[in-house]
PDB file of all heavy atoms in Angstrom:
ATOM      1  N   ALA A  59      19.772 -57.304 105.700  1.00  0.00           N
ATOM      2  CA  ALA A  59      21.099 -57.882 105.319  1.00  0.00           C
ATOM      3  C   ALA A  59      20.968 -58.440 103.873  1.00  0.00           C
ATOM      4  O   ALA A  59      21.789 -58.157 103.013  1.00  0.00           O
ATOM      5  CB  ALA A  59      21.577 -58.868 106.285  1.00  0.00           C
ATOM      6  N   ILE A  60      19.901 -59.214 103.684  1.00  0.00           N
ATOM      7  CA  ILE A  60      19.716 -59.799 102.365  1.00  0.00           C
ATOM      8  C   ILE A  60      19.407 -58.705 101.324  1.00  0.00           C
ATOM      9  O   ILE A  60      19.897 -58.768 100.192  1.00  0.00           O
ATOM     10  CB  ILE A  60      18.561 -60.841 102.362  1.00  0.00           C
ATOM     11  CG1 ILE A  60      18.901 -62.085 103.156  1.00  0.00           C
ATOM     12  CG2 ILE A  60      18.168 -61.258 100.929  1.00  0.00           C
ATOM     13  CD1 ILE A  60      20.052 -62.810 102.534  1.00  0.00           C
ATOM     14  N   GLY A  61      18.708 -57.683 101.712  1.00  0.00           N
ATOM     15  CA  GLY A  61      18.506 -56.565 100.804  1.00  0.00           C
ATOM     16  C   GLY A  61      19.782 -55.855 100.307  1.00  0.00           C
ATOM     17  O   GLY A  61      19.954 -55.595  99.167  1.00  0.00           O
ATOM     18  N   TRP A  62      20.631 -55.585 101.279  1.00  0.00           N
ATOM     19  CA  TRP A  62      21.917 -55.022 100.905  1.00  0.00           C
ATOM     20  C   TRP A  62      22.799 -55.907 100.030  1.00  0.00           C
ATOM     21  O   TRP A  62      23.453 -55.493  99.136  1.00  0.00           O
ATOM     22  CB  TRP A  62      22.670 -54.562 102.210  1.00  0.00           C
ATOM     23  CG  TRP A  62      22.270 -53.294 102.763  1.00  0.00           C
ATOM     24  CD1 TRP A  62      21.532 -53.193 103.935  1.00  0.00           C
ATOM     25  CD2 TRP A  62      22.289 -52.003 102.139  1.00  0.00           C
ATOM     26  NE1 TRP A  62      21.175 -51.889 104.099  1.00  0.00           N
ATOM     27  CE2 TRP A  62      21.653 -51.118 103.036  1.00  0.00           C
ATOM     28  CE3 TRP A  62      22.913 -51.522 100.986  1.00  0.00           C
ATOM     29  CZ2 TRP A  62      21.585 -49.666 102.790  1.00  0.00           C
ATOM     30  CZ3 TRP A  62      22.811 -50.176 100.722  1.00  0.00           C
ATOM     31  CH2 TRP A  62      22.162 -49.315 101.643  1.00  0.00           C
ATOM     32  N   ARG A  63      22.766 -57.152 100.324  1.00  0.00           N
ATOM     33  CA  ARG A  63      23.522 -58.079  99.498  1.00  0.00           C
ATOM     34  C   ARG A  63      22.927 -58.313  98.127  1.00  0.00           C
ATOM     35  O   ARG A  63      23.640 -58.405  97.128  1.00  0.00           O
ATOM     36  CB  ARG A  63      23.642 -59.441 100.161  1.00  0.00           C
ATOM     37  CG  ARG A  63      24.631 -59.431 101.351  1.00  0.00           C
ATOM     38  CD  ARG A  63      24.485 -60.646 102.292  1.00  0.00           C
ATOM     39  NE  ARG A  63      25.454 -60.579 103.375  1.00  0.00           N
ATOM     40  CZ  ARG A  63      25.344 -59.861 104.453  1.00  0.00           C
ATOM     41  NH1 ARG A  63      24.323 -59.017 104.642  1.00  0.00           N
ATOM     42  NH2 ARG A  63      26.232 -59.875 105.426  1.00  0.00           N
ATOM     43  N   THR A  64      21.605 -58.214  98.090  1.00  0.00           N
ATOM     44  CA  THR A  64      20.944 -58.204  96.738  1.00  0.00           C
ATOM     45  C   THR A  64      21.292 -57.012  95.889  1.00  0.00           C
ATOM     46  O   THR A  64      21.580 -57.125  94.784  1.00  0.00           O
ATOM     47  CB  THR A  64      19.393 -58.207  96.995  1.00  0.00           C
ATOM     48  OG1 THR A  64      18.994 -59.345  97.695  1.00  0.00           O
ATOM     49  CG2 THR A  64      18.629 -58.275  95.578  1.00  0.00           C
ATOM     50  N   ALA A  65      21.352 -55.861  96.586  1.00  0.00           N
ATOM     51  CA  ALA A  65      21.790 -54.605  95.888  1.00  0.00           C
ATOM     52  C   ALA A  65      23.237 -54.737  95.403  1.00  0.00           C
ATOM     53  O   ALA A  65      23.588 -54.313  94.295  1.00  0.00           O
ATOM     54  CB  ALA A  65      21.678 -53.440  96.750  1.00  0.00           C
ATOM     55  N   GLY A  66      24.086 -55.465  96.151  1.00  0.00           N
ATOM     56  CA  GLY A  66      25.484 -55.591  95.735  1.00  0.00           C
ATOM     57  C   GLY A  66      25.602 -56.525  94.521  1.00  0.00           C
ATOM     58  O   GLY A  66      26.265 -56.185  93.542  1.00  0.00           O
ATOM     59  N   TRP A  67      24.856 -57.616  94.509  1.00  0.00           N
ATOM     60  CA  TRP A  67      24.851 -58.502  93.371  1.00  0.00           C
ATOM     61  C   TRP A  67      24.291 -57.846  92.181  1.00  0.00           C
ATOM     62  O   TRP A  67      24.743 -58.078  91.033  1.00  0.00           O
ATOM     63  CB  TRP A  67      24.121 -59.830  93.679  1.00  0.00           C
ATOM     64  CG  TRP A  67      24.886 -60.722  94.541  1.00  0.00           C
ATOM     65  CD1 TRP A  67      24.601 -61.158  95.828  1.00  0.00           C
ATOM     66  CD2 TRP A  67      26.178 -61.398  94.266  1.00  0.00           C
ATOM     67  NE1 TRP A  67      25.625 -61.982  96.308  1.00  0.00           N
ATOM     68  CE2 TRP A  67      26.585 -62.136  95.385  1.00  0.00           C
ATOM     69  CE3 TRP A  67      27.016 -61.379  93.173  1.00  0.00           C
ATOM     70  CZ2 TRP A  67      27.775 -62.943  95.383  1.00  0.00           C
ATOM     71  CZ3 TRP A  67      28.189 -62.152  93.173  1.00  0.00           C
ATOM     72  CH2 TRP A  67      28.512 -62.902  94.260  1.00  0.00           C
ATOM     73  N   ALA A  68      23.215 -57.062  92.340  1.00  0.00           N
ATOM     74  CA  ALA A  68      22.627 -56.369  91.254  1.00  0.00           C
ATOM     75  C   ALA A  68      23.593 -55.345  90.678  1.00  0.00           C
ATOM     76  O   ALA A  68      23.659 -55.178  89.449  1.00  0.00           O
ATOM     77  CB  ALA A  68      21.356 -55.640  91.673  1.00  0.00           C
ATOM     78  N   ALA A  69      24.379 -54.718  91.479  1.00  0.00           N
ATOM     79  CA  ALA A  69      25.297 -53.704  91.001  1.00  0.00           C
ATOM     80  C   ALA A  69      26.421 -54.416  90.180  1.00  0.00           C
ATOM     81  O   ALA A  69      26.838 -53.866  89.185  1.00  0.00           O
ATOM     82  CB  ALA A  69      25.951 -52.905  92.228  1.00  0.00           C
ATOM     83  N   ILE A  70      26.897 -55.528  90.671  1.00  0.00           N
ATOM     84  CA  ILE A  70      27.912 -56.311  89.932  1.00  0.00           C
ATOM     85  C   ILE A  70      27.403 -56.734  88.603  1.00  0.00           C
ATOM     86  O   ILE A  70      28.052 -56.622  87.531  1.00  0.00           O
ATOM     87  CB  ILE A  70      28.462 -57.545  90.802  1.00  0.00           C
ATOM     88  CG1 ILE A  70      29.194 -57.018  91.977  1.00  0.00           C
ATOM     89  CG2 ILE A  70      29.300 -58.438  89.912  1.00  0.00           C
ATOM     90  CD1 ILE A  70      29.507 -58.128  93.041  1.00  0.00           C
ATOM     91  N   HIS A  71      26.189 -57.346  88.642  1.00  0.00           N
ATOM     92  CA  HIS A  71      25.562 -57.901  87.425  1.00  0.00           C
ATOM     93  C   HIS A  71      25.305 -56.714  86.403  1.00  0.00           C
ATOM     94  O   HIS A  71      25.714 -56.778  85.254  1.00  0.00           O
ATOM     95  CB  HIS A  71      24.287 -58.564  87.730  1.00  0.00           C
ATOM     96  CG  HIS A  71      23.594 -59.094  86.577  1.00  0.00           C
ATOM     97  ND1 HIS A  71      24.096 -60.134  85.773  1.00  0.00           N
ATOM     98  CD2 HIS A  71      22.375 -58.777  85.995  1.00  0.00           C
ATOM     99  CE1 HIS A  71      23.230 -60.340  84.785  1.00  0.00           C
ATOM    100  NE2 HIS A  71      22.169 -59.590  84.916  1.00  0.00           N
ATOM    101  N   GLY A  72      24.608 -55.669  86.923  1.00  0.00           N
ATOM    102  CA  GLY A  72      24.246 -54.570  86.034  1.00  0.00           C
ATOM    103  C   GLY A  72      25.429 -53.784  85.479  1.00  0.00           C
ATOM    104  O   GLY A  72      25.522 -53.479  84.231  1.00  0.00           O
ATOM    105  N   SER A  73      26.324 -53.410  86.319  1.00  0.00           N
ATOM    106  CA  SER A  73      27.516 -52.679  85.888  1.00  0.00           C
ATOM    107  C   SER A  73      28.388 -53.505  84.924  1.00  0.00           C
ATOM    108  O   SER A  73      28.867 -52.998  83.877  1.00  0.00           O
ATOM    109  CB  SER A  73      28.343 -52.137  87.048  1.00  0.00           C
ATOM    110  OG  SER A  73      28.843 -53.254  87.765  1.00  0.00           O
ATOM    111  N   GLY A  74      28.505 -54.774  85.167  1.00  0.00           N
ATOM    112  CA  GLY A  74      29.292 -55.653  84.206  1.00  0.00           C
ATOM    113  C   GLY A  74      28.583 -55.759  82.851  1.00  0.00           C
ATOM    114  O   GLY A  74      29.228 -55.720  81.815  1.00  0.00           O
ATOM    115  N   GLU A  75      27.290 -55.905  82.828  1.00  0.00           N
ATOM    116  CA  GLU A  75      26.494 -55.918  81.579  1.00  0.00           C
ATOM    117  C   GLU A  75      26.684 -54.568  80.801  1.00  0.00           C
ATOM    118  O   GLU A  75      26.911 -54.564  79.630  1.00  0.00           O
ATOM    119  CB  GLU A  75      25.069 -56.235  81.739  1.00  0.00           C
ATOM    120  CG  GLU A  75      24.794 -57.601  82.339  1.00  0.00           C
ATOM    121  CD  GLU A  75      24.765 -58.655  81.302  1.00  0.00           C
ATOM    122  OE1 GLU A  75      24.548 -58.331  80.068  1.00  0.00           O
ATOM    123  OE2 GLU A  75      24.964 -59.788  81.549  1.00  0.00           O
ATOM    124  N   LEU A  76      26.502 -53.465  81.518  1.00  0.00           N
ATOM    125  CA  LEU A  76      26.628 -52.127  80.879  1.00  0.00           C
ATOM    126  C   LEU A  76      28.111 -51.918  80.379  1.00  0.00           C
ATOM    127  O   LEU A  76      28.302 -51.349  79.275  1.00  0.00           O
ATOM    128  CB  LEU A  76      26.254 -51.051  81.839  1.00  0.00           C
ATOM    129  CG  LEU A  76      24.789 -50.833  82.066  1.00  0.00           C
ATOM    130  CD1 LEU A  76      24.499 -49.805  83.160  1.00  0.00           C
ATOM    131  CD2 LEU A  76      24.055 -50.518  80.747  1.00  0.00           C
ATOM    132  N   PHE A  77      29.093 -52.367  81.147  1.00  0.00           N
ATOM    133  CA  PHE A  77      30.486 -52.260  80.682  1.00  0.00           C
ATOM    134  C   PHE A  77      30.688 -53.044  79.427  1.00  0.00           C
ATOM    135  O   PHE A  77      31.280 -52.494  78.481  1.00  0.00           O
ATOM    136  CB  PHE A  77      31.430 -52.707  81.771  1.00  0.00           C
ATOM    137  CG  PHE A  77      32.904 -52.767  81.355  1.00  0.00           C
ATOM    138  CD1 PHE A  77      33.588 -51.629  81.395  1.00  0.00           C
ATOM    139  CD2 PHE A  77      33.458 -53.923  80.938  1.00  0.00           C
ATOM    140  CE1 PHE A  77      34.953 -51.595  81.015  1.00  0.00           C
ATOM    141  CE2 PHE A  77      34.777 -53.994  80.524  1.00  0.00           C
ATOM    142  CZ  PHE A  77      35.555 -52.784  80.583  1.00  0.00           C
ATOM    143  N   TYR A  78      30.212 -54.283  79.354  1.00  0.00           N
ATOM    144  CA  TYR A  78      30.363 -55.077  78.198  1.00  0.00           C
ATOM    145  C   TYR A  78      29.715 -54.496  76.982  1.00  0.00           C
ATOM    146  O   TYR A  78      30.226 -54.371  75.885  1.00  0.00           O
ATOM    147  CB  TYR A  78      29.864 -56.514  78.452  1.00  0.00           C
ATOM    148  CG  TYR A  78      29.978 -57.330  77.149  1.00  0.00           C
ATOM    149  CD1 TYR A  78      31.181 -57.839  76.689  1.00  0.00           C
ATOM    150  CD2 TYR A  78      28.816 -57.575  76.398  1.00  0.00           C
ATOM    151  CE1 TYR A  78      31.254 -58.587  75.498  1.00  0.00           C
ATOM    152  CE2 TYR A  78      28.886 -58.307  75.207  1.00  0.00           C
ATOM    153  CZ  TYR A  78      30.169 -58.782  74.817  1.00  0.00           C
ATOM    154  OH  TYR A  78      30.226 -59.526  73.607  1.00  0.00           O
ATOM    155  N   LEU A  79      28.421 -53.988  77.174  1.00  0.00           N
ATOM    156  CA  LEU A  79      27.699 -53.412  76.011  1.00  0.00           C
ATOM    157  C   LEU A  79      28.385 -52.178  75.590  1.00  0.00           C
ATOM    158  O   LEU A  79      28.481 -51.957  74.315  1.00  0.00           O
ATOM    159  CB  LEU A  79      26.225 -53.130  76.500  1.00  0.00           C
ATOM    160  CG  LEU A  79      25.364 -54.393  76.666  1.00  0.00           C
ATOM    161  CD1 LEU A  79      24.061 -53.866  77.242  1.00  0.00           C
ATOM    162  CD2 LEU A  79      25.175 -55.150  75.393  1.00  0.00           C
ATOM    163  N   SER A  80      28.861 -51.311  76.433  1.00  0.00           N
ATOM    164  CA  SER A  80      29.502 -50.097  75.981  1.00  0.00           C
ATOM    165  C   SER A  80      30.835 -50.417  75.336  1.00  0.00           C
ATOM    166  O   SER A  80      31.191 -49.785  74.381  1.00  0.00           O
ATOM    167  CB  SER A  80      29.620 -49.084  77.168  1.00  0.00           C
ATOM    168  OG  SER A  80      30.521 -49.593  78.168  1.00  0.00           O
ATOM    169  N   TYR A  81      31.635 -51.343  75.962  1.00  0.00           N
ATOM    170  CA  TYR A  81      32.995 -51.659  75.392  1.00  0.00           C
ATOM    171  C   TYR A  81      32.866 -52.267  74.024  1.00  0.00           C
ATOM    172  O   TYR A  81      33.619 -52.024  73.135  1.00  0.00           O
ATOM    173  CB  TYR A  81      33.653 -52.635  76.345  1.00  0.00           C
ATOM    174  CG  TYR A  81      35.136 -52.817  76.118  1.00  0.00           C
ATOM    175  CD1 TYR A  81      36.053 -52.017  76.741  1.00  0.00           C
ATOM    176  CD2 TYR A  81      35.590 -53.809  75.218  1.00  0.00           C
ATOM    177  CE1 TYR A  81      37.435 -52.184  76.527  1.00  0.00           C
ATOM    178  CE2 TYR A  81      36.956 -53.958  74.997  1.00  0.00           C
ATOM    179  CZ  TYR A  81      37.911 -53.136  75.613  1.00  0.00           C
ATOM    180  OH  TYR A  81      39.211 -53.248  75.417  1.00  0.00           O
ATOM    181  N   ALA A  82      31.857 -53.078  73.823  1.00  0.00           N
ATOM    182  CA  ALA A  82      31.629 -53.737  72.597  1.00  0.00           C
ATOM    183  C   ALA A  82      30.896 -52.874  71.518  1.00  0.00           C
ATOM    184  O   ALA A  82      30.706 -53.272  70.416  1.00  0.00           O
ATOM    185  CB  ALA A  82      30.781 -55.053  72.767  1.00  0.00           C
ATOM    186  N   GLY A  83      30.513 -51.666  71.948  1.00  0.00           N
ATOM    187  CA  GLY A  83      29.842 -50.749  71.093  1.00  0.00           C
ATOM    188  C   GLY A  83      28.406 -51.076  70.782  1.00  0.00           C
ATOM    189  O   GLY A  83      27.818 -50.569  69.821  1.00  0.00           O
ATOM    190  N   LEU A  84      27.817 -51.846  71.669  1.00  0.00           N
ATOM    191  CA  LEU A  84      26.455 -52.281  71.445  1.00  0.00           C
ATOM    192  C   LEU A  84      25.434 -51.350  72.180  1.00  0.00           C
ATOM    193  O   LEU A  84      24.211 -51.503  71.962  1.00  0.00           O
ATOM    194  CB  LEU A  84      26.304 -53.723  71.863  1.00  0.00           C
ATOM    195  CG  LEU A  84      27.094 -54.797  71.159  1.00  0.00           C
ATOM    196  CD1 LEU A  84      26.997 -56.115  71.845  1.00  0.00           C
ATOM    197  CD2 LEU A  84      26.652 -54.862  69.717  1.00  0.00           C
ATOM    198  N   LEU A  85      25.961 -50.553  73.060  1.00  0.00           N
ATOM    199  CA  LEU A  85      25.052 -49.754  73.858  1.00  0.00           C
ATOM    200  C   LEU A  85      24.327 -48.716  73.010  1.00  0.00           C
ATOM    201  O   LEU A  85      23.137 -48.356  73.243  1.00  0.00           O
ATOM    202  CB  LEU A  85      25.817 -49.007  74.967  1.00  0.00           C
ATOM    203  CG  LEU A  85      25.070 -48.455  76.126  1.00  0.00           C
ATOM    204  CD1 LEU A  85      24.219 -49.451  76.850  1.00  0.00           C
ATOM    205  CD2 LEU A  85      26.020 -47.735  77.116  1.00  0.00           C
ATOM    206  N   GLU A  86      24.875 -48.319  71.942  1.00  0.00           N
ATOM    207  CA  GLU A  86      24.274 -47.270  71.057  1.00  0.00           C
ATOM    208  C   GLU A  86      23.163 -47.879  70.252  1.00  0.00           C
ATOM    209  O   GLU A  86      22.277 -47.114  69.743  1.00  0.00           O
ATOM    210  CB  GLU A  86      25.327 -46.732  70.136  1.00  0.00           C
ATOM    211  CG  GLU A  86      25.892 -47.708  69.202  1.00  0.00           C
ATOM    212  CD  GLU A  86      27.086 -47.244  68.398  1.00  0.00           C
ATOM    213  OE1 GLU A  86      27.807 -46.433  68.943  1.00  0.00           O
ATOM    214  OE2 GLU A  86      27.308 -47.699  67.320  1.00  0.00           O
ATOM    215  N   HIS A  87      23.018 -49.167  70.181  1.00  0.00           N
ATOM    216  CA  HIS A  87      21.890 -49.837  69.515  1.00  0.00           C
ATOM    217  C   HIS A  87      20.687 -49.905  70.366  1.00  0.00           C
ATOM    218  O   HIS A  87      19.590 -50.325  69.810  1.00  0.00           O
ATOM    219  CB  HIS A  87      22.346 -51.173  68.978  1.00  0.00           C
ATOM    220  CG  HIS A  87      23.456 -51.146  67.991  1.00  0.00           C
ATOM    221  ND1 HIS A  87      23.313 -50.572  66.748  1.00  0.00           N
ATOM    222  CD2 HIS A  87      24.753 -51.541  68.110  1.00  0.00           C
ATOM    223  CE1 HIS A  87      24.476 -50.674  66.158  1.00  0.00           C
ATOM    224  NE2 HIS A  87      25.411 -51.209  66.886  1.00  0.00           N
ATOM    225  N   LEU A  88      20.753 -49.710  71.607  1.00  0.00           N
ATOM    226  CA  LEU A  88      19.557 -49.709  72.428  1.00  0.00           C
ATOM    227  C   LEU A  88      18.757 -48.370  72.330  1.00  0.00           C
ATOM    228  O   LEU A  88      19.273 -47.374  72.257  1.00  0.00           O
ATOM    229  CB  LEU A  88      19.949 -49.890  73.922  1.00  0.00           C
ATOM    230  CG  LEU A  88      20.675 -51.158  74.211  1.00  0.00           C
ATOM    231  CD1 LEU A  88      21.104 -51.153  75.722  1.00  0.00           C
ATOM    232  CD2 LEU A  88      19.778 -52.354  73.967  1.00  0.00           C
ATOM    233  N   SER A  89      17.448 -48.554  72.268  1.00  0.00           N
ATOM    234  CA  SER A  89      16.629 -47.313  72.135  1.00  0.00           C
ATOM    235  C   SER A  89      16.719 -46.428  73.364  1.00  0.00           C
ATOM    236  O   SER A  89      16.514 -45.252  73.253  1.00  0.00           O
ATOM    237  CB  SER A  89      15.099 -47.716  71.880  1.00  0.00           C
ATOM    238  OG  SER A  89      14.663 -48.439  72.975  1.00  0.00           O
TER     239      SER A  89
END
Side-chain angles (χ1 to χ4, degrees):
I60 291 294
W62 280 110
R63 285 163 180 80
T64 301
W67 285 116
I70 292 169
H71 178 67
S73 62
E75 292 278 338
L76 285 174
F77 175 81
Y78 175 76
L79 289 173
S80 64
Y81 194 92
L84 300 172
L85 197 58
E86 63 192 30
H87 297 292
L88 297 176
S89 61

